[in-house]
Amino acid sequence: MVDATGGDGLPAVPTPSVPRRTSKLGIVGAGAVGSTMAYAALMRGAARTVALLDVNRAKVDAEVLDLSHGIQFMSMAEVVGSDDVSVMADCDVVMFTAGAKQKPGQSRVDLAEATISLVRKVLPGIVEVAPNAVYVMVTNPVDVVTYAALKISGLAPSQLFGSGTVLDSSRLRYLIARHTGVAVQNVHAYIAGEHGDTELPLWSSATIGAVPVLEWEGTGGSGALTREVRDSIAREVVESAYRIIEGKGATNYAIALAGSRIIEAVLKDERRILPVSSLLDGYLGMSDVCLSVPSIVGSSGVLERLEVPMSSDEIAGMRRSADAVRSVARRFGF
């Protein structure tokens, strides 16, 4: 017989249950990128709660309702949204996707002024209600916006970083895989530097399986990665976003999936190597600029930036990229 007393003949007092801490993802901006990122994160079961913040209350309410109606077919989660910053309270990760929409033919730099103004207006309030969150800037031009956000927020360079060239590196791997006829999962290559026109592929450290890309001779007499092929692939990586924007007005699916990968790396403390954009300090002689380099990402944000092997041309390209980003940041007073 089970003794239901506390040992002194009196009924035992039940121990109050402590709610289990669950993960909360905040997304600033319910536009094409933000809403698709919420969808991707829900489909992947990345967070238990997804919170959307947008100045357009009707839009954010509609997105929350639409996403919530599909919860039956996903991992269990809750979707909330508001035009009030309090919806971001106690977030573990905040993805900042709000900003001016890039138009066909418009460079990312042209977007900087309006986006930095928005960051200045919105970010401090979010940091106030979610001071311990890891912040990931997604809005373009992401390197300049990330640098400005660090100055505006006062957050540590590990706690706030940009999505950088995670998507660009995915594009690079896809194109290499398509040319060589191997699975994209077996291609390991990074785009580094600016997320923009001066970005560059790090061919020196790229591999297909265990074979260095620079030594890849193809299979069955086809698929060799000659200098001409590599240059063509690099150009297509840079130009692909402009092609997508010209055709459909926005890039949203791939950046949402790239963003959800970053989210999972943080929430699950994966220590995954991702080419995110963060503040460099003495990286190959570069400092005081946000650029993408392969970095270890975990629950605290950017844990370490890896100095991967680079040729002299690649190092020179990185420095040109740093100069380009730095010049834009200076133009806006940073």
Side-chain angles (χ1 to χ4, degrees):
M1 183 175 182
V2 178
D3 182 3
T5 71
D8 54 6
L10 298 175
V13 177
T15 303
S17 60
V18 178
R20 185 172 66 87
R21 178 77 173 91
T22 57
S23 55
K24 183 176 181 180
L25 164 66
I27 298 175
V28 184
V33 174
S35 58
T36 309
M37 191 169 295
Y39 175 77
L42 288 165
M43 287 296 292
R44 293 176 65 92
R48 181 62 176 75
T49 300
V50 174
L52 285 168
L53 173 66
D54 197 286
V55 67
N56 186 338
R57 184 58 186 263
K59 175 72 160 67
V60 78
D61 285 348
E63 293 291 359
V64 168
L65 197 59
D66 198 6
L67 289 165
S68 298
H69 289 166
I71 292 298
Q72 175 188 342
F73 311 108
M74 309 176 187
S75 298
M76 188 57 200
E78 178 186 19
V79 187
V80 295
S82 179
D83 57 356
D84 191 301
V85 72
S86 62
V87 77
M88 297 280 108
D90 302 320
C91 279
D92 298 290
V93 181
V94 173
M95 307 295 287
F96 200 102
T97 74
K101 186 176 180 181
Q102 189 171 0
K103 300 174 183 176
Q106 186 180 33
S107 75
R108 294 181 176 102
V109 174
D110 293 337
L111 300 172
E113 187 170 10
T115 300
I116 290 172
S117 176
L118 178 64
V119 170
R120 197 186 299 277
K121 179 181 178 181
V122 175
L123 185 59
I126 301 173
V127 172
E128 188 174 334
V129 299
N132 300 317
V134 169
Y135 288 79
V136 184
M137 310 306 291
V138 181
T139 308
N140 281 318
V142 69
D143 306 292
V144 174
V145 169
T146 299
Y147 186 84
L150 282 169
K151 298 296 184 183
I152 291 165
S153 67
L155 294 172
S158 59
Q159 190 179 356
L160 185 150
F161 58 93
S163 55
T165 57
V166 174
L167 172 56
D168 310 75
S169 297
S170 176
R171 290 169 174 155
L172 174 66
R173 295 180 185 198
Y174 162 74
L175 292 169
I176 293 172
R178 188 179 68 177
H179 180 81
T180 58
V182 301
V184 69
Q185 291 84 354
N186 293 123
V187 177
H188 302 282
Y190 295 106
I191 293 285
E194 175 198 13
H195 172 57
D197 295 342
T198 65
E199 66 187 26
L200 64 148
L202 300 181
W203 296 116
S204 296
S205 59
T207 62
I208 301 172
V211 180
V213 160
L214 296 180
E215 298 176 14
W216 181 266
E217 296 180 353
T219 57
S222 63
L225 287 161
T226 63
R227 177 63 180 267
E228 292 74 18
V229 170
R230 297 198 304 273
D231 288 348
S232 175
I233 286 174
R235 282 195 303 273
E236 189 168 350
V237 170
V238 172
E239 295 169 0
S240 58
Y242 297 122
R243 288 172 52 200
I244 294 169
I245 290 166
E246 184 178 355
K248 57 176 272 188
T251 61
N252 59 310
Y253 295 121
I255 183 57
L257 289 167
S260 65
R261 206 66 206 83
I262 299 171
I263 292 163
E264 291 170 19
V266 174
L267 291 180
K268 298 178 182 179
D269 194 22
E270 291 181 338
R271 299 180 64 88
R272 184 173 289 271
I273 298 173
L274 297 167
V276 295
S277 179
S278 65
L279 186 67
L280 302 186
D281 183 12
Y283 184 94
L284 297 177
M286 292 173 285
S287 298
D288 195 35
V289 65
C290 289
L291 287 180
S292 291
V293 298
S295 307
I296 300 176
V297 179
S299 61
S300 300
V302 175
L303 308 179
E304 190 173 346
R305 295 151 192 85
L306 304 180
E307 293 196 6
V308 298
M310 293 188 201
S311 68
S312 58
D313 285 347
E314 289 167 352
I315 293 173
M318 285 289 293
R319 289 177 178 159
R320 284 194 298 271
S321 201
D323 290 342
V325 172
R326 203 180 280 116
S327 67
V328 176
R330 298 293 180 267
R331 194 185 308 170
F332 296 101
F334 293 99

